[in-house]
Amino acid sequence: MELLVVNPNSTAAMTERIDRAAKRVARPGTRIVAVGSSSGPPSIQGFYDGAICLSGLLQQVELQNHVDGVVIACFDDTGLDAARCMVDAPVLGIGQSAYSVASMLSNKFTVVTTLSRSVPVLESNLQRYGLASRCASVRAADIPVLELEDMTAETMHSIRRVVEVAIKEDKSDAIILGCAGMTDLVEQLSSEFGLPIIDGVSCAVALAEALVSAGLRTSKAGAYG
Amino acid sequence: MELLVVNPNSTAAMTERIDRAAKRVARPGTRIVAVGSSSGPPSIQGFYDGAICLSGLLQQVELQNHVDGVVIACFDDTGLDAARCMVDAPVLGIGQSAYSVASMLSNKFTVVTTLSRSVPVLESNLQRYGLASRCASVRAADIPVLELEDMTAETMHSIRRVVEVAIKEDKSDAIILGCAGMTDLVEQLSSEFGLPIIDGVSCAVALAEALVSAGLRTSKAGAYG
Amino acid sequence: MELLVVNPNSTAAMTERIDRAAKRVARPGTRIVAVGSSSGPPSIQGFYDGAICLSGLLQQVELQNHVDGVVIACFDDTGLDAARCMVDAPVLGIGQSAYSVASMLSNKFTVVTTLSRSVPVLESNLQRYGLASRCASVRAADIPVLELEDMTAETMHSIRRVVEVAIKEDKSDAIILGCAGMTDLVEQLSSEFGLPIIDGVSCAVALAEALVSAGLRTSKAGAYG
Amino acid sequence: MELLVVNPNSTAAMTERIDRAAKRVARPGTRIVAVGSSSGPPSIQGFYDGAICLSGLLQQVELQNHVDGVVIACFDDTGLDAARCMVDAPVLGIGQSAYSVASMLSNKFTVVTTLSRSVPVLESNLQRYGLASRCASVRAADIPVLELEDMTAETMHSIRRVVEVAIKEDKSDAIILGCAGMTDLVEQLSSEFGLPIIDGVSCAVALAEALVSAGLRTSKAGAYG
Amino acid sequence: MELLVVNPNSTAAMTERIDRAAKRVARPGTRIVAVGSSSGPPSIQGFYDGAICLSGLLQQVELQNHVDGVVIACFDDTGLDAARCMVDAPVLGIGQSAYSVASMLSNKFTVVTTLSRSVPVLESNLQRYGLASRCASVRAADIPVLELEDMTAETMHSIRRVVEVAIKEDKSDAIILGCAGMTDLVEQLSSEFGLPIIDGVSCAVALAEALVSAGLRTSKAGAYG
Amino acid sequence: MELLVVNPNSTAAMTERIDRAAKRVARPGTRIVAVGSSSGPPSIQGFYDGAICLSGLLQQVELQNHVDGVVIACFDDTGLDAARCMVDAPVLGIGQSAYSVASMLSNKFTVVTTLSRSVPVLESNLQRYGLASRCASVRAADIPVLELEDMTAETMHSIRRVVEVAIKEDKSDAIILGCAGMTDLVEQLSSEFGLPIIDGVSCAVALAEALVSAGLRTSKAGAYG
């Protein structure tokens, strides 16, 4: 099967990282088509970025509308409902995928995101998906997305500290890394903290494969028709 | 990989049907181990049945605790939290799996179950999972579970009528068949109504494969530790 | 004061109607600048239209960012959070304005919209604003937005019927007309049904004037900073 | 237009302060009729005060039922639903007005009130209005209402500290002053903290003017009929 | 023990009926002190009546503040929070008592009240108590409270019809009679419909006895202190 | 009347303590039949224990199904819905009873439980009962249930500290002791902290007596039929 993985920002290094993460989890027979956006902002931080990247994002979905499944590789799940209106194939957001997976592995999860301006976007999504009650908190590590590119000791330290607080204060038993740029930290944080560290790109790719295999398709009988 | 699929009731024909449904969706490399319960009731209808089948159900999980993933093949998801305390592998309920999948393919779904005494059990689960807000209604077709064994024209008619009402009155754009015994109706109802008809066994098996492939495991850091 | 009223669709007749409605309610000293969108779709019906009209809409806000207040004249409130990131002036959506006003005049309201594909968009907004608990239902009259242009007897009849149902079944004591194109019906329906018939454009203009007069501005300390 | 602004407590200095605040925001053509209550308690702190001030409050509404709009100038919005049963004119509570305005200027707000015994009253109102989900917290500064009369440095310090905590811990991007007696602090706190500091009296007067201008009236078709 | 049962309206026949209902359920050692209100309205129907009866109601609580428990015998639970501020003894509302009892005997209940203008009052209480999720609906029989005084066949018919609808459409498995004036119908409706028909006065008296026996008292450490 | 009080764990000393607590609050004419479980685990801590104790628990209800009322004396209320399916008599859980009582004596309560693995079980129950909105928090004292057997100074200190935090941080005005093993602490903590300290066993016995006296029985018309 063929899965389109769209990075709605214009940072090529981010697209590459997403591509690697997607390929790492994909089954042998799955072809990953990872694309970036020429017109989007360099990173998606908050409501404004989420809005202005939409035309570039939806254009990519339009161009590749023959694929078997689509993954929107921005943790804000921007354009998710709109993209579902465009294709019959299942369309997964890396945010919704991560929340759903976490709700099956844990009792309560914390989302660690980059800047505090992204928190309301994620909280608003959690409410729409219905999974807000399973989320103990959305916490910002106060790191701009692009600083994740070269992961300094200091950046790593900030993220680690938020995870500690989430475990201690929120009593969360799973942590979601709320940014496609944090994908590479999964392994290290997992072994360090001994609980599920959940990455949205892996979840979305695995779920997309599952839905496609099961023959399921986006409903065209209501909001997405 | 090896997936345990436990039918917590003692009706062998139901276990066979679940086995077939699981195998139909499973990937080539997946071994399905479908087991029934010797001590459970013939069917699970309501809170009492859900409680008395637990010891038989958890015994099966105990016996097969080396598997890579567990599916509880009762739409009530009875014992789901308890089973998650017993193994590291992901544990999926066919109810929670179906609700999660439906929330990614549609805007609003209806669950069609057998008897009205099962409705409060499912509603209570939906509330716990957080997905109640995505569910338009849980509707009973007023058919005892075991009548699904030989699907008469009348039984089929009752189910079809509930689907019609769900589409017309609830404006639902996906239908979940809320009983492992309805699995064989998916294809026919899908083509008849032109919207996703979602079967819990297929969803749970596909999701279990996805979680196992992605290397994800049940958290042992909180409620399930 | 000067208020920008943006119609995010490209139908000039709709922009004119919105302009008239805004001017009807505006105070003597208020200058209404009503603009349409050159790049938007002819009408906004559902999630997809709401996404693709954004770049044209936000461009208009950018061009006129010196105004004292902004009104987004689409009942879906598309781009509302994004526009609030762009200016210090208050930014009102005609949807949120109508819901807020209705919650001060009545105990429970019904929203009458055009097509059923718009219902989930409005329900999702109501949930985000927190006012879903005050809304008895969002009901579609099954009329495409552009048919409102020449209001036939049949169109009028469809809307009237939905209002009747809302009063009888929902026990609503206020009705919100959930489309900028229904603005002209307020007077007739009010006198006919004897309860508040609420139009979003009037509400948003009046609220924008109120906020500007009171010296209030969009917060730049959080999500909109 | 003529607006009745009722202070349901018997402290004349408070009525004067409310009168000044109302006149400061009122448009040129608006006549503010600010009245106190002869029979009410000196201040409204908690459920009991809110109940015993009602007869005096509603008597004032009765006496002035020819006005164009009514503002209940107690942040508890005591008697709001009852007053709406008495007149056709719009009736605004300074609490509900402030919450509504805050939800249009910010993503999440904190309410700063006087004593902790008032917190449950406000939380209960927020739940009824539907706006609880937009409110990060209601925090008490532990100051009796009447100490606001002569604002000492210490009183000012307590309020300032609560605002700091709200910004830091709640990540709120707007602050509502939850007592008619705090009206005079708006300007100072605004410039000090750089985010919207919202006063209920100004909001209610501005909204009342807006609703009256737009020709809107309290519904008589349901709870208030 | 001595229990004060306050009827906040001025209809003596209603006070007598409440007195009889209270005595029917009271234990041998309990002395019921049933009082009416001289200043209240003849019946409590809607928000306005609920507000104007408060001063008479609270005066009675003040006069009898030596009792062991207080029951507010109006289904609107008007003044409940205020009365709890006045005494250390437990204070029960017949509404909250009935909802709590119903939530222990059934999965989902319907409340049958008199006029539709009372519905929002009860719905608002259910939300405040947290029990709204257990209530399928609040339905009005469209009977003025005082018509319950001489129960005609027609009145009885209206109530019976609402019960039928509640069972059929709401799938409720318990019915609460939402008016102190319906007390005498319990026995007949119970045997007719074969499910719990719950009367608030009996519930509140029985619960008050239970709380007093268990040595429990109203908290003075927070809202009621 | 005769009340069955079932301790679903196998620790005889716990059954005796529950028996004493039940008899302390019971009326003269009430016969308490306290039984333990031969097959249950020594204590119920978390989802797994709650599931495996069910068969022993329900067997006891079966054996004694002639009693007038049943109390499930485990704060997790395990098997509550199932037991209600088995008898006509009222069935009370000590958890639900305590929450209901607390919601009538206070504005907001905190539950103090033993281990953190029990917290999600109680939170999930609160959500199902609808009373989650009245609960400020469920806090674990980090004490295994069986350590409550011989209450050391250290154990007592841990519990006292949690109560202090609940009052200071949650602003709770009532404390529920969330474990049948804490029953003996009520008196001491009450006088120490000066607010209602609520014990589930007492509440459930008193409520069971109240419901039986009022002639109320479990509904057989829906989920429990």
Side-chain angles (χ1 to χ4, degrees), chain D residues 160-183:
Chain D
R160 196 178 277 125
R161 260 232 326 253
V162 179
V163 175
E164 280 165 6
V165 170
I167 293 172
K168 182 139 180 256
E169 291 185 16
D170 301 342
K171 320 277 185 202
S172 285
D173 54 340
I175 303 293
I176 293 176
L177 299 181
C179 175
M182 294 181 183
T183 286

Side-chain angles (χ1 to χ4, degrees), chain E:
Chain E
M1 80 182 67
E2 198 167 26
L3 297 183
L4 173 67
V5 181
V6 195
N7 170 20
N9 73 40
S10 60
T11 301
M14 189 86 86
T15 310
E16 277 163 41
R17 183 179 301 176
I18 288 166
D19 186 39
R20 278 202 314 276
K23 281 173 178 153
R24 215 176 304 144
V25 79
R27 306 183 200 179
T30 302
R31 199 166 83 82
I32 298 294
V33 182
V35 299
S37 165
S38 49
S39 62
S43 66
I44 316 285
Q45 298 178 140
F47 287 116
Y48 178 72
D49 292 339
I52 59 163
C53 74
L54 276 180
S55 75
L57 165 65
L58 298 180
Q59 210 174 353
Q60 291 288 3
V61 175
E62 183 72 42
L63 282 170
Q64 308 273 351
N65 65 11
H66 59 278
V67 294
D68 299 294
V70 176
V71 169
I72 296 183
C74 170
F75 208 82
D76 290 8
D77 290 348
T78 186
L80 184 55
D81 283 313
R84 283 178 181 153
C85 297
M86 298 172 73
V87 291
D88 287 355
V91 182
L92 284 290
I94 66 173
Q96 188 179 24
S97 298
Y99 307 142
S100 298
V101 163
S103 77
M104 292 175 182
L105 298 175
S106 70
N107 182 65
K108 212 162 63 170
F109 57 82
T110 285
V111 183
V112 181
T113 186
T114 48
L115 295 185
S116 59
R117 84 155 45 130
S118 292
V119 174
V121 183
L122 305 189
E123 286 176 341
S124 165
N125 287 348
L126 279 158
Q127 198 185 11
R128 162 133 174 77
Y129 302 148
L131 292 168
S133 66
R134 299 305 293 270
C135 176
S137 66
V138 181
R139 291 180 177 275
D142 289 321
I143 306 163
V145 170
L146 296 181
E147 280 197 10
L148 294 170
E149 284 309 294
D150 31 31
M151 182 65 67
T152 63
E154 199 189 350
T155 301
M156 188 64 196
H157 180 66
S158 302
I159 294 174
R160 196 178 277 126
R161 260 233 327 254
V162 180
V163 174
E164 280 165 5
V165 170
I167 293 172
K168 185 142 178 254
E169 290 185 16
D170 302 343
K171 319 277 185 202
S172 287
D173 54 340
I175 303 293
I176 293 176
L177 299 181
C179 174
M182 293 182 185
T183 287
D184 293 344
L185 307 177
V186 169
E187 213 164 328
Q188 183 170 347
L189 293 172
S190 288
S191 70
E192 207 171 318
F193 288 101
L195 46 65
I197 302 289
I198 293 170
D199 161 59
V201 176
S202 320
C203 291
V205 168
L207 290 185
E209 290 180 329
L211 298 190
V212 172
S213 294
L216 293 160
R217 304 178 78 64
T218 297
S219 175
K220 293 289 142 180
Y224 306 137

Side-chain angles (χ1 to χ4, degrees), chain B residues 35-56:
Chain B
V35 298
S37 165
S38 49
S39 63
S43 66
I44 315 284
Q45 297 178 142
F47 287 115
Y48 178 72
D49 292 339
I52 59 164
C53 76
L54 276 180
S55 75

